[in-house]
Amino acid sequence: MLARRALQWAARRGGQRPPVRGLRGSPRARSAMPSWVIDRYGRNEVLRFTRDMVFPVIQYPNEVIVKVHAASLNPIDLSMRSGYGATALNMKRDPLKIKSMDTEFPLTLGRDASGVIMECGLSVSYFKPGDEVWAAIPPWKQGTLSEFVVASANEVSFKPKCLSHVEAASLPYVGLTAWSAINKVGGLNQSNCSGKRVLILGASGGVGTFAVQLVKAWGAHVTAVCSHDAGTLMRKLGADDVIDYKSGSLEQQLKTLPSFDFILDNVGGSTEKWALDLLKKWSGATYVTLVTPFLINVDRLGVADGMLQTGVTIGSKTVKHLLKGVHYRWAFFMPSGPSLDEIAQLVDSGKQSTCPTERAITGSRSAKQDKCACWYLQQKGLNIFFSDIQPVIEQVFPFSEVPKAFQKLEEGHARGKTVIDVVNKK
């Protein structure tokens, strides 16, 4: 994997070998930075702006410091603000209980970042200061609603050339979550996905909009489940069939369709009770859900008992459905720079022009045949970038309005991502 990334680095720089860099000491004229933090768990009122958040420091030789130009919010940020997963995440932050401070606060939320490398650790040769990058920061680390963030170089990738920082910040977390479910857990890829029937439950949110585009780019027949007002968006993103879950029994509507080879469930709940009956039996068909009880079990039962309960649950469900001829799987977000490399290639694919020409169009997806690098569709306030993978952004907030962005996300019924323009402080 490292060798492949080194070859990609060389290709970007005309065949030069990646240099070996020494540890760079960042100037310490400043020891603090602006950030949005929480000092306790709760609702929106716990969010606090400070100009005195500790400036990040490289502690390991494979780390980099990124100046954040844009970030975005995900449902996990709402959950973490309320304390969801605190027990498991604190164990991951300090597994040996050796830190002097017995608290995770002040805690910065935000998982997505698009920005510029400012400093590299001793063993980092794939990046250099000034590189434009994007990343999804794991939830056990300090987040991206800050001016700077520290990340492992293995979590970072070069930003797609055809996207602005605001556009790029909308993709990493949802992209890697969908990639984990579809590719790493579900086993689908560009070579085996063509012609397969794929069902996406909860298709209009961040993970869903990415998943629809990914499997469509790989040649699948895509059925998207969403509400009626998101139907136009789903068709623009390439869905072949769009099912309105509000227009009668969803189970009965889906049973009228041919069986599926793969189901991605972003909804959970009672859906799991009947969704697996929609799969083709004894054909390798797979159901993958992103709604799992792991963190809830650990919070409720403690680390040992929570992990034991989780293992029993996934084991029993896997065997139960395997006996019925289908595969049952759980999937989680997985931070991965190499996977972001592949996603960036999909985003940049098919682009011939470097001009950031902006147009308003109302045509169908066939407008993609025009190779202008930056066409936008203005449809109900949604910015949709035409490529194999399109950032779908519902609203952009300045850095000063992070609480409003959380409130917007909390209202639900998302049609794409909520993005924070960090360099826009107003």
Side-chain angles (χ1 to χ4, degrees):
M1 190 68 72
L2 291 176
R4 182 175 65 82
R5 299 196 85 187
L7 289 174
Q8 291 174 340
W9 188 99
R12 285 174 177 267
R13 289 165 173 79
Q16 299 177 26
R17 293 179 62 84
V20 177
R21 302 188 183 88
L23 185 64
R24 301 173 188 272
S26 55
R28 289 292 177 249
R30 54 184 298 180
S31 59
M33 64 177 178
S35 181
W36 283 92
V37 300
I38 61 174
D39 301 302
R40 67 185 190 282
Y41 296 118
R43 298 187 65 81
N44 223 31
E45 67 274 4
V46 302
L47 289 166
R48 175 176 66 88
F49 178 75
T50 178
R51 295 187 179 277
D52 300 317
M53 186 62 176
V54 176
F55 197 90
V57 177
I58 288 180
Q59 297 180 329
Y60 300 97
N62 67 330
E63 289 182 331
V64 297
I65 293 177
V66 178
K67 178 175 175 57
V68 181
H69 284 229
S72 70
L73 299 184
N74 298 280
I76 191 175
D77 295 305
L78 294 177
S79 300
M80 288 180 63
R81 187 197 62 189
S82 302
Y84 169 76
T87 301
L89 294 176
N90 283 336
M91 179 189 68
K92 179 66 176 178
R93 291 178 183 119
D94 189 15
L96 300 179
K97 303 291 184 183
I98 60 175
K99 292 185 179 178
S100 58
M101 296 182 63
D102 190 27
T103 178
E104 63 270 34
F105 302 116
L107 179 64
T108 304
L109 301 176
R111 310 270 54 94
D112 293 299
S114 182
V116 176
I117 296 281
M118 300 300 292
E119 181 180 343
C120 298
L122 179 65
S123 65
V124 177
S125 58
Y126 191 62
F127 302 104
K128 69 179 189 304
D131 284 340
E132 293 191 329
V133 296
W134 62 346
I137 308 300
W140 54 86
K141 294 185 178 182
Q142 289 286 16
T144 61
L145 296 178
S146 289
E147 190 173 10
F148 296 89
V149 69
V150 65
S152 165
N154 292 327
E155 298 160 357
V156 177
S157 170
F158 289 106
K159 178 183 73 66
K161 296 177 181 179
C162 61
L163 298 186
S164 69
H165 287 295
V166 167
E167 292 162 342
S170 69
L171 285 176
Y173 187 85
V174 296
L176 288 174
T177 302
W179 192 272
S180 166
I182 295 169
N183 178 261
K184 301 300 183 183
V185 176
L188 297 183
N189 55 55
Q190 189 172 7
S191 63
N192 67 9
C193 196
S194 180
K196 291 190 182 296
R197 291 184 51 80
V198 175
L199 172 64
I200 310 293
L201 297 165
S204 62
V207 174
T209 54
F210 185 95
V212 167
Q213 296 178 85
L214 179 62
V215 292
K216 189 62 183 177
W218 286 346
H221 180 283
V222 183
T223 300
V225 174
C226 58
S227 62
H228 175 73
D229 62 344
T232 299
L233 170 63
M234 290 297 100
R235 291 184 178 89
K236 294 292 183 183
L237 297 179
D240 299 283
D241 296 319
V242 179
I243 306 298
D244 178 9
Y245 67 87
K246 294 182 179 179
S247 63
S249 168
L250 176 59
E251 179 182 0
Q252 295 305 316
Q253 290 185 75
L254 291 173
K255 282 185 175 179
T256 64
L257 301 176
S259 298
F260 295 95
D261 299 289
F262 182 87
I263 297 175
L264 175 61
D265 188 355
N266 298 297
V267 178
S270 61
T271 305
E272 185 177 302
K273 296 179 181 179
W274 50 263
L276 284 97
D277 294 332
L278 303 172
L279 291 170
K280 298 176 182 177
K281 304 296 189 292
W282 308 108
S283 65
T286 302
Y287 167 93
V288 178
T289 179
L290 291 166
V291 184
T292 74
F294 172 65
L295 292 180
I296 294 176
N297 284 345
V298 173
D299 284 343
R300 182 171 58 90
L301 302 173
V303 175
D305 289 345
M307 294 180 71
L308 178 61
Q309 179 62 53
T310 301
V312 170
T313 300
I314 182 62
S316 61
K317 288 186 175 183
T318 299
V319 172
K320 170 187 172 182
H321 293 294
L322 189 60
L323 294 175
K324 296 180 179 180
V326 296
H327 296 285
Y328 176 92
R329 299 285 187 269
W330 289 353
F332 306 88
F333 159 76
M334 297 181 186
S336 172
S339 293
L340 280 176
D341 289 344
E342 296 189 63
I343 293 171
Q345 290 175 11
L346 284 171
V347 173
D348 279 332
S349 65
K351 299 300 178 292
Q352 302 296 327
S353 171
T354 59
C355 63
T357 304
E358 186 170 335
R359 299 186 188 178
I361 63 170
T362 57
S364 68
R365 190 173 172 86
S366 63
K368 176 185 171 185
Q369 294 171 356
D370 187 306
K371 298 300 183 178
C372 179
C374 292
W375 269 29
Y376 290 82
L377 171 68
Q378 301 296 336
Q379 177 74 26
K380 295 183 180 180
L382 293 170
N383 295 328
I384 304 176
F385 185 96
F386 277 87
S387 70
D388 284 338
I389 302 294
Q390 310 165 15
V392 182
I393 299 173
E394 185 168 23
Q395 192 167 352
V396 180
F397 290 85
F399 193 51
S400 60
E401 296 182 0
V402 165
K404 290 184 180 180
F406 270 85
Q407 186 176 2
K408 170 69 179 66
L409 184 63
E410 205 159 14
E411 293 171 358
H413 303 289
R415 300 293 178 263
K417 291 295 296 292
T418 299
V419 178
I420 310 297
D421 186 349
V422 176
V423 296
N424 180 5
K425 302 294 195 297
K426 297 182 180 180

